[in-house]
Amino acid sequence: MRSRKGAARSGGTLVEKLIHLALPVRLVHMENGERSGLELACTYDIHPHGARLRSSRDLKVGDLVTVERGRTKSVCEVVWAAAPDSPLRGQFTVECVEGARIPWEDELRKMEEHYLPVIPDWPTRKRGMNAFPQGSHNRRRRPRFAVDGGANLAEIGGQSCVEGRLEEISEYGCLISSGNLLTPGTGLRLVLNMCDVSIALRGHVRYTAERRAMGVEFQEIRQGDRPLLDYVLHQLKKPRVEDFADLEVITEHLAAVAG
């Protein structure tokens, strides 16, 4: 996971290595610059600048905590906190802002990322990369939601790296607009940044549309990122405030006509 601040700092490159790993840590909460209590916690995943954890306390973006593991400690800032009504309630992400080294530096150096199939029986499915009938991308298997986000794509086994805007997303794929479109069938590693979280996947370009966008089908998702994808889809399913405003205007108009 990566915050907006972390995304800007990386200069638009793909998100750095993230490992799904549970490590016991101690959290020292800070209030008004003073220590306010010790809490035992556990990481969900770790990366070179921070981690995703869970707390029984109500943390918000901007809060400071000291993360301790063994003799190593680092002051960290909360850069994302899950909505209280979501399945990830209590989870939050921190980025280290002070400290000689991160508490999980050794684990990051020794371990590698792992990816899991988006669909469990994916290897048995027939891909037919270059044989999609025209209009086949309109056959939705899952609801697709409009979303405002960023996308970084890197060709697997190639040199192409593309940045784009994430416009739509579903459980199995997404629509990305870009000035540099890749050929249908191209295998990709992509990182999607939306709703203040980052999700890494592998997939392929399934089609291009109007010379401005490409549909990407997901094949694998980084271990530990599946709950984050579900979180994003859950957030996008919520009715927007504008929807209720539009409904109110329509209702008032109908009432006036009826009168």
Side-chain angles (χ1 to χ4, degrees):
M1 181 183 303
R2 183 175 56 177
S3 71
R4 290 174 180 170
K5 180 172 61 178
R9 180 178 56 212
S10 67
T13 58
L14 289 176
V15 71
E16 296 178 87
K17 182 166 68 173
L18 182 148
I19 303 299
H20 182 60
L21 182 65
L23 294 175
V25 297
R26 298 182 300 274
L27 299 180
V28 179
H29 297 270
M30 310 286 286
E31 290 184 6
N32 299 321
E34 297 182 359
R35 297 162 64 100
S36 64
L38 177 68
E39 178 184 13
L40 299 180
C42 187
T43 65
Y44 279 88
D45 49 49
I46 57 176
H47 61 84
H49 299 292
R52 178 164 56 108
L53 307 102
R54 183 183 182 89
S55 174
S56 59
R57 297 198 176 197
D58 183 19
L59 292 172
K60 60 184 182 299
V61 173
D63 286 351
L64 294 178
V65 296
T66 298
V67 181
E68 301 178 352
R69 183 164 181 262
R71 296 182 177 180
T72 306
K73 63 177 64 177
S74 181
V75 176
C76 300
E77 180 182 357
V78 177
V79 295
W80 170 83
D85 60 345
S86 77
L88 299 186
R89 59 186 177 276
Q91 294 187 27
F92 63 101
T93 298
V94 297
E95 286 192 357
C96 301
V97 296
E98 181 183 319
R101 59 193 293 262
I102 57 174
W104 37 83
E105 189 172 298
D106 292 339
E107 285 77 10
L108 278 172
R109 185 169 53 251
K110 296 175 183 177
M111 300 185 68
E112 297 296 331
E113 291 181 321
H114 293 282
Y115 284 75
L116 302 174
V118 171
I119 305 175
D121 63 346
W122 175 262
T124 65
R125 298 181 63 222
K126 184 176 180 181
R127 298 188 190 178
M129 286 287 92
N130 300 316
F132 291 117
Q134 187 162 353
S136 64
H137 55 268
N138 290 323
R139 303 192 186 110
R140 306 288 188 224
R141 290 173 293 171
R142 287 291 188 274
R144 179 167 287 189
F145 303 98
V147 61
D148 181 20
N152 302 103
L153 302 87
E155 180 182 1
I156 295 176
Q159 300 297 319
S160 297
C161 293
V162 173
E163 292 187 31
R165 295 302 306 171
L166 179 63
E167 296 187 358
E168 297 179 354
I169 189 170
S170 74
E171 184 180 353
Y172 295 147
C174 64
L175 182 68
I176 297 171
S177 60
S178 175
N180 299 305
L181 301 183
L182 299 174
T183 305
T186 301
L188 301 170
R189 180 182 185 268
L190 61 155
V191 174
L192 305 179
N193 304 303
M194 68 227 142
C195 300
D196 286 331
V197 304
S198 293
I199 300 171
L201 304 112
R202 291 173 179 164
H204 60 264
V205 179
R206 183 159 184 175
Y207 65 90
T208 57
E210 301 176 356
R211 298 183 179 180
R212 58 165 292 275
M214 49 192 159
V216 175
E217 185 170 36
F218 304 149
Q219 292 173 281
E220 296 178 315
I221 187 168
R222 184 170 52 190
Q223 185 178 10
D225 280 6
R226 183 69 205 212
L228 298 179
L229 177 58
D230 293 340
Y231 170 82
V232 168
L233 296 175
H234 174 79
Q235 294 298 103
L236 296 176
K237 286 178 184 177
K238 293 181 179 180
R240 299 174 303 173
V241 174
E242 304 93 278
D243 295 335
F244 288 108
D246 292 342
L247 179 61
E248 183 177 356
V249 171
I250 293 173
T251 302
E252 291 179 354
H253 175 71
L254 292 176
V257 172

